[in-house]
Amino acid sequence: MSARRTLPPSASVAHAGEGAKLHAPSAERNAAAISEALREFAPETGPALEIASGTGQHVVAFAAAMPGLNWQPTEIDAARRASIDAYVAEAGLPNLRAAMALDATEAGWSAQQAGQALIVLINLLHLISAPEARRIIAEAAQALAPGGRFAIYGPFLRDGQATSEGDARFDASLTAQDPAIGYKDLAEVEGWLREVGLSLHPVRQMPANNLFLVGERPG
Ligand SMILES: C[S@@+](CC[C@H](N)C(=O)[O-])C[C@H]1O[C@@H](n2cnc3c(N)ncnc32)[C@H](O)[C@@H]1O
């Protein structure tokens, strides 16, 4: 995680794997469902940027499932970038690059990443503060090409409430560790996406109470 935050161990579970590879059981569980949802919304071709790629398990699946897109994984954490690079090397896909270092909450990164057909953000908004989440959304909107899409996957509150006991417990454990972080409310995040000029596709319900949101930059 970002060096600035101490999170409960349940926030970002990844075990050591072969060589530099890390293995996140959650990424293994949800990769196929997210990939399927992304394929419905992703433009056929162009550059695709993943923010907070984690272990690299997702981006390898996405690059294989969407071969017309050129995928760039990014991560703040060096050990995770090494893991991504190990998965990327093993996959040997022509449309998948090595990991790039990116703190997505820093202002200004969109200037170097302009023209993205697709930007993907999975399981980060609940682990950062609201101002940081808004900054990522603003930077992503700036980095999209006209007609480009920004897909966000993760757990959300609905009308300010967690939708399961497990979500309520996890959210409480996050805010106990750091009162600035925790689950964001769906309507609030939708408002932030609209504020930066993105139009919204219908929200999709995903396994384990997660949601899949897509914002589109007008063409
Ligand atoms: C819960 S993990 C999710 C990883 C991956 N997207 C997945 O779903 O398997 C959160 C990830 O966000 C990364 N991260 C935390 N703060 C970040 C930041 N400010 N910019 C970019 N990545 C960040 C962490 O290093 C970690 O890999």
Side-chain angles (χ1 to χ4, degrees):
M1 299 310 311
S2 163
R4 288 168 294 137
R5 300 216 179 280
T6 308
L7 296 168
S10 57
S12 184
V13 176
H15 308 294
E18 192 188 315
K21 284 201 278 184
L22 298 170
H23 180 261
S26 68
E28 184 171 323
R29 278 196 303 274
N30 62 25
I34 299 174
S35 202
E36 202 176 303
L38 274 177
R39 279 178 63 178
E40 279 182 41
F41 289 97
E44 285 286 310
T45 58
L49 185 79
E50 190 187 24
I51 299 169
S53 295
T55 61
Q57 288 161 271
H58 280 151
V59 79
V60 168
F62 301 158
M66 288 159 269
L69 291 166
N70 287 313
W71 288 87
Q72 174 65 70
T74 72
E75 239 299 322
I76 194 171
D77 180 79
R80 290 185 179 223
R81 289 198 300 276
S83 173
I84 296 165
D85 289 347
Y87 280 104
V88 167
E90 181 183 61
L93 295 169
N95 63 328
L96 178 56
R97 297 207 191 124
M100 191 181 82
L102 179 68
D103 178 349
T105 64
E106 292 251 312
W109 60 259
S110 56
Q112 284 80 49
Q113 301 300 328
Q116 300 295 328
L118 178 68
I119 300 178
V120 180
L121 174 65
I122 301 170
N123 283 330
L124 180 60
L125 293 186
H126 58 297
L127 304 179
I128 58 179
S129 68
E132 289 171 326
R134 294 184 76 166
R135 211 167 308 126
I136 292 186
I137 287 171
E139 292 294 332
Q142 289 273 354
L144 287 177
R149 290 170 178 193
F150 179 30
I152 303 177
Y153 170 98
F156 292 87
L157 302 176
R158 275 151 263 183
D159 299 322
Q161 301 296 317
T163 50
S164 74
E165 275 183 26
D167 281 295
R169 264 197 309 276
F170 184 34
D171 187 28
S173 74
L174 292 172
T175 49
Q177 195 81 47
D178 181 346
I181 67 170
Y183 282 30
K184 308 296 176 285
D185 189 71
L186 171 62
E188 192 171 33
V189 174
E190 288 180 322
W192 297 339
L193 289 162
R194 285 198 195 92
E195 260 172 42
V196 294
L198 302 183
S199 57
L200 300 185
H201 289 263
V203 174
R204 177 172 295 210
Q205 190 76 45
M206 300 292 285
N209 280 324
N210 289 294
L211 296 179
F212 183 82
L213 279 62
V214 178
E216 177 169 340
R217 182 167 167 176

